[in-house]
Amino acid sequence: MADNNAKLNVGGNAHDFDVLDGSIGPSVVNISSLYKDTGMFTYDPGFTSTASCESKITYIDGDEGTLLYRGYPIEQLADHGDFLESCYLLLYGELPTKAQKDDFVSRVTYHTMIHEQMNRFFSGFRRDAHPMAVMVGTVGALSAFYHDSTDITDPHQRMVASLRMIAKMPTIAAMAYKYHVGQPFVYPRNDLGYAANFLHMCFAVPCEEYKVNPVLARAMDRIFILHADHEQNASTSTVRLAGSSGANPFACIAAGIACLWGPAHGGANEAALNMLSEIGSVDRIPEFVARAKDKNDPFRLMGFGHRVYKNYDPRARIMQKTTHEVLGELGIKDDPLLDVAMELEKIALNDEYFVDKKLYPNIDFYSGITLRALGFPTTMFTVLFALARTVGWIAQWKEMVEDPSQRIGRPRQLYTGAKLRDYTPIDQRR
Ligand code: SDX
């Protein structure tokens, strides 16, 4: 337990601030009265030392490399549970009983179809549009079809919107893929599990029956679990900030998708696979490692490093295991990109630069190899991340909306621009 008081001396005046302890992890200094007390703001670009909220959902220990969903280690959830069980856990805080799980699965299953008129949305996009552009547009448009679950002050509507988002994301993601590859949309099937249904919607065609490989469906389901939530990352913070204004949940999730698309965040899985393809062979690794270390070269090892993990990302370990499982099931004996990834990891983990900066593989390093083996093009990798992260965004949005102390998020700034000056007519400007 930290000392429950922090002192700050500003302009010769001492100010006391409360220290608040969490159940685990770092304590926080409550500086909410700082501006009122001192006339000063804190300054923390990138929020490296800033807790934006109180949350009970996900805990990460970056030094230990641990990740807990509502206190349960990600390894145990990935090994023993399934994605919809983790969805229930993230949303409601406890593992479901059998009856609760069956009811939840049934409610999600019967929300998987989207309004038939939404199909026309897709034809407005170019076929070669990036699927993430389609996702941002289509998910944002859900509020145009589901007005009856946009009143965030109504707990029932919040619950319906949450279920709709979790249920419809696989359908929309699969439609974005089908549109991208020029194949007809495949409707969801109520007799298939969540991951199997998604794979069926992606890879089935009207000409023949498509049997989902249960080993691949299990791997897909586990990949969804690994991506489900991750504390106050950039896209979750985007969803919270959008939601703090009272925006409807569909608009908030669309904002989260937009943020996740960036290569420094969820877009890293696509960038990591493209990087491995560019490296191409083990003998070119030293050239790229040198570039990653060169301050004058913007190149970074995609899939490496993390704002919080200064140890191995526990999700990357599970993902690596899943990669071998999927390649084994598909009879892929040697995948040159996997060889490059494994060798690159070995070299980087023994290189002083990466060791000093505590840069380890993150979840995006191996996921691309697995997703490509499952049959997805690289442009779909971040879509799959968004599909899985929707439950985390919704759980965090729900926690924020239901927090009685919640207010609109409105950060301040350090202004270094022009001081007050008068307008100059254009004919007097030089
Ligand atoms: C995700 O926040 C989350 O939880 C995100 C996520 C989630 O589940 O939501 O975990 C998902 O986004 C994982 C991260 C995926 N991104 C990448 O793999 C892109 C490559 N990684 C980097 O861009 C970077 O590591 C970040 C963005 C992930 C973290 O950036 P930080 O915390 O701002 O760290 P930094 O950029 O300040 O780097 C610290 C130092 C720098 O060197 P110095 O200025 O101190 O000399 O490490 C270097 C960086 O140059 N560095 C790298 C590097 N990552 C950091 N050098 C080479 N290759 C890299 N990958």
Side-chain angles (χ1 to χ4, degrees), residues 48 60 226-227 229-236 260 262-269 271-272 289 291-293 295 299-310 313 315 353-354 357-359 362-365 385 389:
T48 48
I60 303 169
L226 297 179
H227 287 82
D229 193 49
H230 213 238
E231 196 208 75
Q232 305 313 317
N233 59 84
S235 54
T236 297
L260 186 75
H265 190 15
N269 54 16
V289 168
R291 285 186 57 195
K293 292 155 63 172
K295 278 281 149 241
F299 174 80
R300 288 197 163 180
L301 283 188
M302 302 314 281
F304 261 81
H306 200 275
R307 170 63 56 77
V308 177
Y309 288 125
K310 301 308 172 192
D313 182 335
R315 303 167 298 175
Y353 173 92
F354 293 91
K357 294 179 188 296
K358 299 184 176 179
L359 302 176
N362 59 50
I363 189 165
D364 296 308
F365 188 61
F385 195 149
R389 185 51 61 86

Side-chain angles (χ1 to χ4, degrees), residues 403-426:
D403 178 349
S405 65
Q406 187 268 327
R407 304 168 69 192
I408 187 167
R410 203 313 188 176
R412 302 302 305 274
Q413 65 182 5
L414 172 67
Y415 178 71
T416 55
K419 294 179 181 170
L420 178 66
R421 52 182 172 167
D422 294 325
Y423 181 84
T424 314
I426 192 162

